[in-house]
Amino acid sequence: MSLVRIVGALDPHVHLRGMEWAHKGDFATETAAALAGGYTAVLDMPNTPPATTDSQGLERKLEDLGRNARCDYGVWLGAHPSGVRPPAELARLSRRVCGIKLYCGHTTGGLTIGPSQMDRQVASWPGPGVLAAHAEGESVGVFLAALARHGKRGHLCHIDTARAVSEVAEHKSRGTKVTAGVCPHHLFFADRDLPSLGPRGVMKPPLGTRSDREALWEGLRQGVIDVVESDHAPHTWDEKLGVPTPFGVPGLETTIPLLFTAVKEGRITADRAVDLVSVAPRRIFGLDPRPPGTYTLVDVGVRWTITPESLYTSCGWTPFSGMEVSGMIRRVVIRDTVVFEDGEVLAPKGFGSNLYDDFC
Ligand code: DOR
Ligand code: ZN
């Protein structure tokens, strides 16, 4: 056995679904997937029905998560296309979430906002959490400029192009307080894989060219990109076969094994892999110091082949099916309790805690 220990692995970008989208996945099944994938905590995105954009939506989600989550969690507030919440409500909401997500490009959930709204949202966010954006093409620059103009701290989700990597690099060098994340599907696939992936290759942002992909790896090595986030977004296979094909792929159970495969191939070091899924996300999303008695053991000596049957996610498919990876999750421990061991999820529903109760 060749074990690597990751303290408090955190996936800051997941769509667990639940509530009115429980047929795609629910808080119990998808947090089981998180544990099986080696994560002790996840941050759930707001583009759900009901949307997590006001007090009611937040209460509904926190209540459902509280009853069902098997791992620790935080919740993203979402900016609503109708505008900024009244300041007193926003101040109250902001203390119960990890940050606010701005959808600056069309995707699942109908929360897209335009450039002028983006500026207003950035200006009015009180913190302490992070402003995060889904931005593609031109809107990457608009978000970065808004952060710089208002002196706010932000995170650019799932960057996907060489151009976005250089825009982030330039802003970082000028002192803009920005971090960036990348998804495994953008690191391991490119648009030339679309014919073989079919609906499994449909997500937002879409797959880029091979040179985009190489720029993402380079961005990871150079520290322009700070975290790896799965963007775990289950849809049923029937839905994926529909027209139009919904955007999104599951990723919670494949991200850490894929990263250790990249370590084996010499693309990144093992320390960098641990940094990308634990040290950096915990620092960026306000969860330092890393929690005692909360860790994952990965056996990096084991090679295995990803199949849909080997996964806990309720959607029953994965774009990584058939890929041979290095790195088997052996054990996951949260607050000294073993919650996953050798293929079995042991945490009951409701075991997980909200990491942002009264976030200051
Ligand atoms: O592919 C995606 N799926 N990208 C997103 O931005 C949203 C997500 C989803 O919720 O399905
Ligand atoms: Zn997402």
Side-chain angles (χ1 to χ4, degrees):
M1 263 204 248
S2 179
L3 294 177
V4 169
R5 183 182 160 102
I6 308 175
V7 176
L10 168 72
D11 188 339
H13 189 152
V14 301
H15 302 262
L16 300 177
R17 313 304 194 192
M19 303 178 298
E20 288 160 37
W21 272 353
H23 68 284
K24 295 177 192 279
D26 63 35
F27 293 128
T29 60
E30 302 316 293
T31 53
L35 294 177
Y39 288 100
T40 59
V42 293
L43 305 183
D44 187 56
M45 285 292 170
N47 58 335
T48 38
T52 321
T53 49
D54 57 18
S55 308
Q56 259 183 327
L58 179 64
E59 289 314 324
R60 170 96 191 268
K61 183 173 277 186
L62 287 177
E63 192 272 325
D64 202 337
L65 267 164
R67 273 189 294 113
N68 290 301
R70 299 178 198 271
C71 69
D72 291 346
Y73 56 87
V75 165
W76 285 98
L77 185 67
H80 195 273
S82 64
V84 179
R85 304 302 303 169
E89 185 190 1
L90 193 59
R92 253 193 335 271
L93 288 165
S94 69
R95 287 193 292 274
R96 310 195 63 203
V97 296
C98 60
I100 189 166
K101 174 78 178 279
L102 315 184
Y103 284 94
C104 315
H106 169 68
T107 185
T108 312
L111 293 180
T112 310
I113 60 173
S116 61
Q117 288 196 54
M118 206 194 303
D119 194 71
R120 236 170 288 143
Q121 292 283 356
V122 170
S124 54
W125 177 243
V130 179
L131 279 147
H134 174 132
E136 298 180 32
E138 301 296 309
S139 60
V140 169
V142 177
F143 178 63
L144 292 171
L147 292 178
R149 187 164 36 247
H150 299 292
K152 296 280 172 89
R153 192 163 69 89
H155 178 74
L156 194 57
C157 299
H158 44 48
I159 64 171
D160 61 322
T161 60
R163 183 173 156 199
V165 176
S166 47
E167 286 180 272
V168 170
E170 206 214 302
H171 266 271
K172 280 188 166 185
S173 72
R174 282 200 254 144
T176 306
K177 289 178 270 180
V178 66
T179 53
V182 67
C183 297
H185 40 268
H186 294 124
L187 290 171
F188 286 85
F189 297 126
D191 52 5
R192 70 203 285 261
D193 299 311
L194 279 168
S196 61
L197 287 167
R200 294 178 191 85
V202 177
M203 75 285 289
K204 284 286 250 169
L207 296 176
T209 64
R210 274 188 293 170
S211 62
D212 286 323
R213 187 178 65 185
E214 288 320 304
L216 295 174
W217 281 110
E218 200 47 38
L220 268 187
R221 281 187 289 266
Q222 305 212 333
V224 177
I225 298 174
D226 302 272
V227 303
V228 170
E229 51 196 37
S230 74
D231 202 4
H232 179 79
H235 296 280
T236 68
W237 185 239
D238 274 355
E239 289 169 335
K240 285 300 268 185
L241 293 175
V243 180
T245 307
F247 306 114
V249 300
L252 269 168
E253 291 163 270
T254 42
T255 299
I256 290 177
L258 283 164
L259 275 184
F260 281 98
T261 309
V263 170
K264 188 120 194 157
E265 290 166 355
R267 284 182 171 272
I268 51 171
T269 64
D271 281 352
R272 183 79 181 117
V274 171
D275 188 52
L276 289 165
V277 296
S278 154
V279 183
R282 295 198 82 93
R283 187 182 60 235
I284 293 164
F285 298 103
L287 298 173
D288 266 342
R290 291 188 292 161
T294 299
Y295 63 90
T296 297
L297 296 180
V298 188
D299 189 342
V300 296
V302 174
R303 282 187 79 72
W304 60 285
T305 301
I306 297 171
T307 61
E309 297 74 40
S310 59
L311 306 178
Y312 275 88
T313 178
S314 77
C315 73
W317 59 274
T318 163
F320 302 105
S321 188
M323 278 177 68
E324 212 192 355
V325 286
S326 295
M328 168 86 62
I329 309 301
R330 280 289 178 217
R331 182 183 302 155
V332 181
V333 179
I334 298 181
R335 293 182 291 280
D336 296 314
T337 300
V338 179
V339 287
F340 174 88
E341 192 153 42
D342 292 332
E344 239 190 290
V345 171
L346 304 169
K349 293 183 191 183
F351 176 85
S353 291
N354 180 1
L355 299 172
Y356 296 88
D357 241 353
D358 203 15
F359 186 29
C360 305

